[in-house]
Amino acid sequence: MNFDNKDKAILNVLLENSRLSFREIAKKTDMSTATVMHRVHALEKEKAIEKYSASLDYEKLGYDITIIVEIQVSKGKLEDVEKKIAKHPNVVAVYDVTGAFDVVIIAKFKNRKLMDVFLKHIQTYDFVLRTNTQLVLKTLKEDKIKVQ
């Protein structure tokens, strides 16, 4: 599906606030409510819009610790390890990457003890050869990008 400027405008408004009504989106994008409704349904059908969610401030919710973990995995077992790690409730993201490591994950924790248990646990997984953990000291930007 090709996305025109109207689709992109709708998507960018939804990125700012996915709770807006079709009427409110129409006002912000200078389109009719019917046009917005039909386009949003088409974007959902094409899976350009996968889901609607809230943007949370995890620090205010007590998740003060964010870590980035690089993982080196045995050949042929990458997908198995990634799927297993992705199921953990504290894991925010799992990336398949190039370079010295095979996987990069981002996870958030309420305290060091929970982080420590998690790190020790993933090191026991079969086929995990090596890990490298980085503690995030300060988050300068963590946002969604606008569609252009």
Side-chain angles (χ1 to χ4, degrees):
M1 180 176 178
N2 286 331
F3 303 106
D4 63 15
N5 288 337
K6 288 183 179 184
D7 291 326
K8 293 174 186 176
I10 291 168
L11 290 170
N12 287 328
V13 169
L14 287 171
L15 279 174
E16 289 176 25
N17 185 352
S18 64
R19 292 187 61 169
L20 293 177
S21 68
F22 292 137
R23 183 177 306 150
E24 291 168 314
I25 296 168
K27 285 180 188 175
K28 288 182 174 281
T29 58
D30 199 30
M31 292 181 229
S32 74
T33 303
T35 298
V36 168
M37 182 179 71
H38 291 298
R39 285 179 176 260
V40 167
H41 290 312
L43 291 163
E44 291 170 342
K45 185 178 177 184
E46 291 295 321
K47 303 290 185 205
I49 299 173
E50 294 180 328
K51 64 181 179 178
Y52 297 90
S53 65
S55 181
L56 306 178
D57 185 331
Y58 285 101
E59 284 188 22
K60 287 183 181 173
L61 296 169
Y63 292 86
D64 293 330
I65 297 173
T66 301
I67 59 171
I68 300 167
V69 184
E70 299 171 306
I71 305 170
Q72 196 173 50
V73 180
S74 299
K75 287 189 177 185
K77 299 298 179 179
L78 181 62
E79 197 170 313
D80 295 339
V81 172
E82 289 173 332
K83 285 180 181 177
K84 192 172 184 178
I85 290 170
K87 290 179 183 176
H88 193 281
N90 291 79
V91 172
V92 176
V94 178
Y95 300 105
D96 208 352
V97 298
T98 61
F101 290 88
D102 304 302
V103 183
V104 172
I105 66 169
I106 299 173
K108 295 181 181 290
F109 299 92
K110 288 190 172 190
N111 58 54
R112 286 189 325 226
K113 183 178 180 185
L114 293 172
M115 176 192 68
D116 183 53
V117 169
F118 171 77
L119 291 171
K120 287 178 178 165
H121 185 67
I122 64 171
Q123 290 170 353
T124 66
Y125 287 179
D126 291 336
F127 314 113
V128 170
L129 301 175
R130 191 176 102 182
T131 64
N132 181 50
T133 303
Q134 300 166 22
L135 179 64
V136 175
L137 299 175
K138 182 178 181 181
T139 302
L140 301 174
K141 180 181 179 182
E142 194 172 74
D143 210 349
K144 298 170 185 155
I145 62 168
K146 294 221 180 242
V147 181
Q148 297 181 5

